[in-house]
Amino acid sequence: MKANPDDLLVLLAVSRSAKFTTAAQVLGLNHTTVSRRIAALEKSLGGRVLARAAGGWELTELGTEAVRVAEQVETAVSALGPAGQAPDPITGVVRMTATDGFSAYIAAPAVARLRRKHPGLSVEVVTMTRRALQQRSGLDIEVVVGEPQVHRAEAVQLGEYMLGMYASRAYLAENGTPASVAELTEHPLVYFVDSMLQVDDLDAPRRLVPAMREGLTSTNVFVHVEATRAGAGIGFLPCFMGNLHNDLVRLLPDDFAELLPYWMVLRPDSMRRPAVAAVVQALRDQTAAHRDALLGRG
């Protein structure tokens, strides 16, 4: 029995979102219809195309082969645009995760610029600071801090960024300016919640000044910046964020200049999609264009 092209396109939508409900919304169907189409496809192909995973549904080997065929069907269908008009291949939804700072200052402007040329493109950005996932169903791009150890995925280094110690001018006027690493122990630290920090490369303050007491901690780097500006303590901040604020002063730059890499992790099948490839290139271009700011220069 041959596979129904419509069923293949349903599988393609599920593979991109990892969820029947999301695929149903994209396709304008209901959850039951998506489930029925997948069951019909598995019957025609004689095997399972999807398997349960932590984040939703993941393709089996047979499903991966079926998706390759589905992409060809999608390309053929999209070519049937209005006469004389070449269809824009950079369309659809691209899903990515990245840290808060990268998402705001690199991903957001990169996507905005790309969408001006390709209005049919939609990008979902989930912000989080964590290690790369081992199962990334429904996720096209991950941007993480530190070199990831991944399987069945491609990892490439995007660039580097610098972190340093910052305090507000008002805080220093009231509490004095530390002139050495030892004097930092007299001040509270504004940084990540230690027990919830999943990225080992971000442990610099506790490694370099273990006696520095915690003042205000958060899982969000924007809270670090604003808490430091408000005088909650001395913040260990990305320089490309701290340097934007004239009310912040960088402290002891010779002692605190932590250089960390941004890495991008991609599913093997993701780069076959023109939309994903376009977003990846936009992120690379934006990172390169802002290299000096990321390194704390200027």
Side-chain angles (χ1 to χ4, degrees), residues 115-169:
R115 285 201 71 258
R116 284 195 284 272
K117 297 180 180 178
H118 308 283
L121 173 69
S122 175
V123 179
E124 295 179 359
V125 183
V126 178
T127 61
M128 54 187 64
T129 302
R130 67 180 184 192
R131 300 184 185 93
L133 297 172
Q134 293 305 318
Q135 293 181 325
R136 49 189 54 81
S137 297
L139 192 60
D140 299 302
I141 303 168
E142 288 180 274
V143 177
V144 298
V145 175
E147 184 174 0
Q149 303 298 320
V150 294
H151 306 287
R152 294 190 298 171
E154 178 185 356
V156 293
Q157 186 171 343
L158 267 177
E160 296 176 310
Y161 75 107
M162 184 78 72
L163 295 100
M165 288 289 188
Y166 288 81
S168 72
R169 297 182 190 279

Side-chain angles (χ1 to χ4, degrees), residues 195-247:
S195 63
M196 300 180 69
L197 188 60
Q198 298 185 32
V199 181
D200 293 340
D201 287 17
L202 288 170
D203 71 346
R206 279 96 181 195
R207 172 168 40 86
L208 298 173
V209 199
M212 193 174 183
R213 68 186 189 278
E214 293 184 345
L216 188 152
T217 56
S218 171
T219 57
N220 188 305
V221 73
F222 285 98
V223 175
H224 304 168
V225 173
E226 294 306 318
T228 304
R229 296 182 68 198
I234 293 178
F236 192 61
L237 309 176
C239 294
F240 69 89
M241 298 178 72
N243 289 350
L244 291 175
H245 301 285
N246 292 330
D247 56 341

Side-chain angles (χ1 to χ4, degrees), residues 29-45:
L29 304 172
N30 58 50
H31 178 280
T32 303
T33 300
V34 169
S35 180
R36 181 168 52 79
R37 289 281 183 85
I38 294 298
L41 180 63
E42 290 181 332
K43 183 176 181 180
S44 64
L45 295 179

Side-chain angles (χ1 to χ4, degrees), residues 13-80:
V14 174
S15 74
R16 289 172 176 170
S17 65
K19 298 183 184 300
F20 283 9
T21 52
T22 304
Q25 292 172 357
V26 170
L27 296 169
L29 304 172
N30 58 50
H31 178 280
T32 303
T33 300
V34 169
S35 180
R36 181 168 52 79
R37 289 281 183 85
I38 294 298
L41 180 63
E42 290 181 332
K43 183 176 181 180
S44 64
L45 295 179
R48 298 293 302 276
V49 295
L50 294 169
R52 286 277 187 188
W57 292 97
E58 194 169 62
L59 292 171
T60 64
E61 289 187 16
L62 178 60
T64 300
E65 292 299 318
V67 161
R68 291 196 180 100
V69 176
E71 288 171 338
Q72 296 173 12
V73 173
E74 181 184 53
T75 300
V77 171
S78 65
L80 300 174

